Amino acid sequence: MKKKSTVVSSLGLLLFLLMPISAFAQEAGSGIDQVVNKVFGTVLGPFVSFIFYSVTINGVSFPLIVGWLVICAVVLTFYMGFIQFTGVKHSIDLLRGVYSNPEDSGEVSHFQALATALSGTVGLGNIAGVAVAVSLGGPGATFWMIVAGLCGMAAKFTECTLGVKYREEFPDGHVSGGPMYYLSKGLAEQGKPRLGRVLAVLFAIMCIFGSFGGGNMFQGNQAHQMIANTFGIFTETGWLFGLILAVIVGSVIIGGIQSIAKVTEKIVPLMAGLYVGTALIILLANFSNIPTAIVVILKGAFSPEAIGGGVVGVLIQGLKRAAFSNEAGVGSAAIAHSAVRTSEPLTEGYVALLEPFIDTVVICTMTALVIVITGAYANAEGLGGVALTASAFQSVFPWFGVVLAIAVLLFAFSTMISWSYYGLKCWTYLFGESKGSELSFKLIFCVFVVIGCSASLGPVIDFSDAAIFAMSIANVLGLYLMMGSVKADLKDYQSRIASGEIKRYK
Amino acid sequence: MTDTILVGIDGSQDSRRAVEYGIAQAKLNNAQLVLAYVIEWSPYSFNTPEENEQRHKRREEEIQTAHKRVLNPLLESCASEELKITGTVRHGQVADALIQIGREHGAGLIVVGRIGQKGVTSLIFGSVVSKLIQLTHIPVTVVP
C-alpha cells in the first residue's frame, strides 16, 4: 500500500513539474527555442567545437575524436590477438550457457546482459546512420563501417571485462559498475589514484550530459519527427507528445512500473527481427543482384567516383557512422554489462564483443545492402537519414513506412530507458546512492524528454553528441592504461579453459 | 535399486498427493526423498538494466519465499515420517530443472503431480508433465 502511494505521489510531482514547462514551451513557441539555443550556443559552443575539433583531409573534415576511438579499437584488436575472430565460438558457448553452473540459475544470464546492452545501442544509428554514411560517402562507406565495427569488438571486449572486474557490490546485493568504477579503482591499483578519480569524475559528468542529450532529447526529437511525418499527428503539438512520452518514461523509471518496460523490451527485439527479416526478404528477392551490390560497395571503398575527398572521404564517413552506431570505446555498454553476476569478468567481455558485430556488422550491412540493391542511393535527391532508408524499403514494401515509424518510436523509448540508467549510475557515483538523489535525477531526466520533443534545438543536440563522445576521452585513456592487466587476465583465463579448470556443464 | 526419489512440488493439492505417494514408495524401497520446487525462469528473456541490477536480490527473495511458503511447511508435515527428506529450490524451466536435479542426486524415480495446467495454457505452452516425459532418462510417475 505504502509503495503504491509513493508511486502516485511521485508521478503527481512529475506532472506538476512538467505542466508549466510544456505550457511555457507551447506559449512561447519558437521563443523558448531561441533563448535556449542562444544560451547553449554561447556557453557550450566552445566545448562542442573542442570535442569535434576537425582537421581537413582531402577537403573532408575529420573530427579527431573519431580517430581517437578508431585508433583505440585498432590498437586493442592487435593487442588482444584478434580476439573478435578467435573468441567468437567461446562467446556463443557462453551465451548458450555451456559454462553456466545450474546452481546459479536465476541470476542475470549472459544472454540477458547482452540483450539489455544491445537495446541501448540498436536504434536510430542502425537505421538512419547507415543512410547518412551512404548518402554522403557513397556505397563504399559501408565497407569502412564494417571494418570499424569489427575493430570495435575488441574495444567492447576490453571495457566490459573491466566493468565487471571493478564493479561495486552493495550490502543489499545490488551492483553498480562501469567506467567510473574501473577508472577510479583500476588506476588506484596502479598507484595512480588521483588520475583515476579525475578521469572517473570527468567520465561521470559527461555521461550524465550524454544521457540527457543523445540518450534522451535526440531520441525523443527523432521519434516525434518520425511519428509526425508518418501519421500526421502531433505535428504542431510536440510538447504534448513529449509530455505523454515523459509520463510513460517516468512511470517506468520513477514509478517502477516495470510492466511497461517489460512490454517494450519484448517488442524491441521483435521489431529488430522484423526489420532484419524484411531486409532479408528484399535481399533474397534480389538475390542475383547481391554480387553486383558487393562489387559496387568494394569499388566505392577503394576507388570512389564523384565523392568528395576520394578514398579518404569515404573512409571518414564510414568510420564516423560506425562510431556513432555501436559506441565501442565510449564506455556506456560497460555500465549495462556490469550487472551480470559472474566470478569470471572475462566471460562478460567475450559476450560483449558480439554487440558491435550484431549492431554494426549485421544490421548496418543489411540496411546498406537494401539501400544499394534497390538503387535508392542513386536517386536520393536530398534524402538523408531515416527518409532514405524508408524510401529504399518502401520501394519494395509500400507499407514499411508505418512499421519503421513504430520501430523508431520503440527504439527511442528503449534507448531512453537504457540511458536513464547509465546517467543514474553516474549521478549516484557522484552524489551518493540515496533515494533522494536518485529521484532528483529521474525528475530532471523526464523534464528533458519534454524539452527534446517540443523544440528543435540544434545546438543542444550538437552538445549532446559532443557529450557522448567526450565520455570516450576518459574511457579510452583508461583502456590504454589498463589493457595490460586485461591481457594478463585473458591469458590466465584461456589457460584455465584449456586445462579444464573452468568446467563445462553442457 | 532406487535409493533416491525426487518429488517435484508446486504448493498445490496435486503435488501434496505426489509427496504422499513419494513417501510410500520411499518406505517400500528404503530410499531417501528429495523435494524440489522449481521457480519458472528463463535465461533468454529481455530485461531492463534496472531489473538486471536488482536480479541477485530478487533471486534471493524468491528462493526464501519458496522455502517459507511451500517447502518448509511440506517438510514440517513430513517430519514425523521415518525417512531422510531434503528439499531444494531451483530456477529454470520446470521440466529441464527437475531432470537436472534428478541427475545431480542420482535419482531413480521422479514423482510429480499433474501440475495444475489446463486448457489454453497447456495448449499454447505444452504441459510441463508431457515435456518431462519426453525429455527424461529417469522413470517418471505422475500422480493424479
Side-chain angles (χ1 to χ4, degrees):
Chain A
M1 247 0 246
K2 199 179 166 208
K3 195 180 168 211
K4 212 169 209 171
S5 65
T6 344
V7 170
V8 171
S9 63
S10 41
L11 276 181
L13 183 60
L14 175 64
L15 266 178
F16 178 74
L17 271 170
L18 293 179
M19 278 316 248
I21 292 169
S22 41
F24 183 55
Q26 181 194 20
E27 271 167 33
S30 59
I32 187 173
D33 298 14
Q34 282 165 6
V35 172
V36 176
N37 279 350
K38 210 172 170 194
V39 171
F40 267 78
T42 47
V43 178
L44 298 165
F47 169 76
V48 175
S49 34
F50 169 72
I51 296 296
F52 285 126
Y53 181 78
S54 303
V55 288
T56 309
I57 308 169
N58 278 20
V60 180
S61 86
F62 180 58
L64 290 180
I65 194 83
V66 172
W68 174 247
L69 280 168
V70 172
I71 290 168
C72 166
V74 173
V75 167
L76 287 171
T77 298
F78 281 97
Y79 191 74
M80 295 297 163
F82 293 91
I83 186 81
Q84 61 266 63
F85 302 113
T86 57
V88 170
K89 197 193 161 286
H90 189 64
S91 310
I92 292 166
D93 281 348
L94 285 166
L95 275 187
R96 286 172 49 223
V98 171
Y99 295 93
S100 319
N101 186 346
E103 300 213 343
D104 294 335
S105 67
E107 300 284 5
V108 177
S109 68
H110 286 301
F111 178 89
Q112 287 165 338
L114 178 68
T116 304
L118 264 179
S119 77
T121 57
V122 171
L124 285 169
N126 309 77
I127 298 173
V130 187
V132 172
V134 173
S135 57
L136 294 179
T142 316
F143 176 81
W144 296 114
M145 238 181 124
I146 295 171
V147 171
L150 288 171
C151 293
M153 291 165 78
K156 276 264 157 107
F157 169 81
T158 314
E159 63 188 12
C160 292
T161 301
L162 286 169
V164 175
K165 189 176 175 186
Y166 293 108
R167 65 168 167 214
E168 190 94 14
E169 290 184 39
F170 292 90
D172 72 344
H174 85 276
V175 286
S176 282
M180 53 287 184
Y181 291 97
Y182 65 67
L183 287 169
S184 56
K185 285 197 209 167
L187 292 178
E189 264 179 22
Q190 297 185 357
K192 306 185 191 77
R194 204 170 286 164
L195 175 68
R197 179 82 184 142
V198 169
L199 289 180
V201 170
L202 186 69
F203 175 86
I205 293 172
M206 288 310 147
C207 183
I208 290 168
F209 281 125
S211 78
F212 290 148
N216 180 344
M217 288 195 288
F218 176 71
Q219 302 292 333
N221 198 286
Q222 294 293 303
H224 170 241
Q225 273 184 22
M226 194 73 193
I227 293 293
N229 289 342
T230 312
F231 300 110
I233 46 174
F234 298 119
T235 40
E236 297 296 317
T237 46
W239 63 271
L240 183 62
F241 179 82
L243 191 66
I244 296 170
L245 198 57
V247 169
I248 300 174
V249 169
S251 61
V252 173
I253 64 175
I254 300 171
I257 302 177
Q258 291 290 340
S259 53
I260 299 174
K262 270 199 172 130
V263 170
T264 331
E265 295 294 318
K266 283 188 179 60
I267 300 176
V268 163
L270 200 78
M271 278 296 179
L274 188 66
Y275 182 79
V276 173
T278 316
L280 267 179
I281 293 171
I282 295 176
L283 294 183
L284 284 177
N286 296 285
F287 189 70
S288 54
N289 293 335
I290 293 181
T292 333
I294 292 175
V295 170
V296 169
I297 288 173
L298 286 177
K299 247 192 183 160
F302 295 102
S303 57
E305 297 154 19
I307 296 291
V311 178
V312 182
V314 179
L315 178 76
I316 290 169
Q317 293 302 341
L319 298 185
K320 241 181 175 173
R321 287 300 135 187
F324 269 109
S325 114
N326 64 41
E327 293 169 12
V330 167
S332 49
I335 303 176
H337 278 283
S338 300
V340 83
R341 208 169 178 87
T342 171
S343 45
E344 301 287 349
L346 254 308
T347 57
E348 207 44 38
Y350 268 107
V351 172
L353 66 78
L354 292 174
E355 222 182 287
F357 182 78
I358 298 171
D359 188 272
T360 307
V361 181
V362 176
I363 303 186
C364 287
T365 310
M366 293 272 190
T367 310
L369 279 175
V370 169
I371 293 175
V372 174
I373 279 185
T374 56
Y377 77 98
N379 33 32
E381 279 168 31
L383 287 181
V386 186
L388 178 57
T389 314
S391 84
F393 277 85
Q394 276 172 318
S395 68
V396 184
F397 297 115
W399 46 264
F400 199 74
V402 177
V403 176
L404 205 60
I406 297 170
V408 165
L409 178 64
L410 287 169
F411 286 151
F413 181 73
S414 76
T415 305
M416 279 180 178
I417 301 288
S418 293
W419 272 93
S420 79
Y421 180 77
Y422 303 157
L424 178 68
K425 286 292 115 182
C426 289
W427 183 274
T428 53
Y429 174 80
L430 293 176
F431 303 112
E433 303 239 351
S434 77
K435 282 269 170 293
S437 98
E438 287 189 8
L439 185 66
S440 41
F441 172 81
K442 288 168 176 174
L443 285 172
I444 299 171
F445 192 85
C446 289
V447 170
F448 274 97
V449 176
V450 182
I451 299 178
C453 293
S454 51
S456 59
L457 304 167
V460 181
I461 287 170
D462 286 349
F463 167 72
S464 71
D465 272 348
I468 287 189
F469 277 86
M471 289 161 68
S472 73
I473 296 178
N475 189 45
V476 166
L477 212 56
L479 293 184
Y480 284 135
L481 289 170
M482 285 183 274
M483 66 184 187
S485 78
V486 175
K487 174 129 190 198
D489 290 350
L490 176 63
K491 281 216 165 121
D492 174 55
Y493 178 80
Q494 283 171 333
S495 74
R496 280 184 295 139
I497 289 278
S499 72
E501 194 189 324
I502 296 176
K503 246 172 77 185
R504 293 175 71 101
Y505 290 92
K506 260 187 200 164
Chain B
M1 199 51 240
T2 51
D3 40 26
T4 300
I5 294 173
L6 176 68
V7 184
I9 56 170
D10 65 355
S12 69
Q13 269 309 311
D14 287 325
S15 76
R16 172 89 237 175
R17 281 198 295 279
V19 173
E20 280 158 17
Y21 180 83
I23 290 173
Q25 286 299 307
K27 281 181 178 162
L28 275 177
N29 294 301
N30 196 20
Q32 61 164 326
L33 210 59
V34 177
L35 307 185
Y37 180 82
V38 179
I39 301 167
E40 191 67 46
W41 174 83
S42 163
Y44 302 112
S45 62
F46 296 90
N47 302 335
T48 58
E50 204 109 46
E51 281 177 303
N52 283 351
E53 177 192 301
Q54 301 290 334
R55 187 60 217 154
H56 179 64
K57 215 163 109 187
R58 292 272 169 286
R59 177 178 182 266
E60 306 278 289
E61 285 167 8
E62 285 165 7
I63 292 174
Q64 263 184 18
T65 318
H67 274 285
K68 213 167 80 192
R69 295 256 171 84
V70 185
L71 202 55
N72 292 351
L74 262 180
L75 286 174
E76 273 160 33
S77 71
C78 306
S80 55
E81 309 283 347
E82 282 180 9
L83 276 173
K84 193 185 168 212
I85 305 180
T86 50
T88 179
V89 174
R90 175 76 55 89
H91 281 78
Q93 244 97 51
V94 179
D96 297 333
L98 282 180
I99 293 167
Q100 178 82 38
I101 298 168
R103 211 179 285 149
E104 283 167 21
H105 287 85
L109 177 66
I110 299 178
V111 180
V112 289
R114 284 177 305 179
I115 317 192
Q117 282 176 324
K118 278 182 216 141
V120 183
T121 331
S122 59
L123 258 181
I124 296 173
F125 300 106
S127 103
V128 170
V129 172
S130 56
K131 194 180 171 200
L132 181 63
I133 292 168
Q134 280 168 356
L135 293 175
T136 180
H137 299 288
I138 305 167
V140 173
T141 302
V142 182
V143 180

